[in-house]
Amino acid sequence: LASFEQITRIKRMHDKISDGVNWDFNYSILLMIASIVASLGLATDSATTVISSMLLSPIMGPVIGMSYGLIIWDLPLIKRSARNELLSILVCIIFGLIMGTRSFHL
């Protein structure tokens, strides 16, 4: 049998993973900043800047949420994670298109 402490730890882990999936203001801003940094890195041909944008990006939250949801078979978590992952990719593509159509010389 699981002790109260173990159940509390599992609940905290579940809550933390679920919170990483949520699309909120911080997630949106980090995603936009990471997209802009990646665009600038590609425009200046700087691998370091592109890698930095990956470190800024919050896209790993929904990936972890999908993995965890599949392990415990939590369909609402899987659906929310997949939706937010696809929306994140769409936002990154749109920002990339916007930044790519601007012809600036850095």
Side-chain angles (χ1 to χ4, degrees):
L1 293 170
S3 70
F4 180 73
E5 183 180 317
Q6 291 171 329
I7 292 171
T8 304
R9 265 191 266 148
I10 291 169
K11 174 138 178 49
R12 272 191 306 212
M13 181 187 69
H14 182 78
D15 292 343
K16 186 170 180 146
I17 291 172
S18 293
D19 288 344
V21 171
N22 293 336
W23 188 291
D24 56 4
F25 179 76
N26 291 337
Y27 186 93
S28 302
I29 295 300
L30 272 174
L31 186 65
M32 287 187 270
I33 290 171
S35 298
I36 291 169
V37 169
S39 299
L40 292 172
L42 290 172
T44 59
D45 196 25
S46 171
T48 306
T49 308
V50 174
I51 292 170
S52 298
S53 74
M54 290 183 223
L55 296 174
L56 285 171
S57 179
I59 291 178
M60 198 60 181
V63 172
I64 294 170
M66 278 188 281
S67 301
Y68 180 69
L70 284 169
I71 290 170
I72 65 169
W73 202 244
D74 184 352
L75 286 178
L77 180 62
I78 296 168
K79 289 178 184 177
R80 196 171 78 228
S81 299
R83 184 196 67 209
N84 288 346
E85 183 71 20
L86 292 173
L87 282 173
S88 298
I89 292 169
L90 183 65
V91 167
C92 289
I93 290 171
I94 290 171
F95 266 88
L97 287 171
I98 291 170
M99 296 296 284
T101 56
R102 303 285 182 233
S103 63
F104 53 87
H105 302 286
L106 298 175

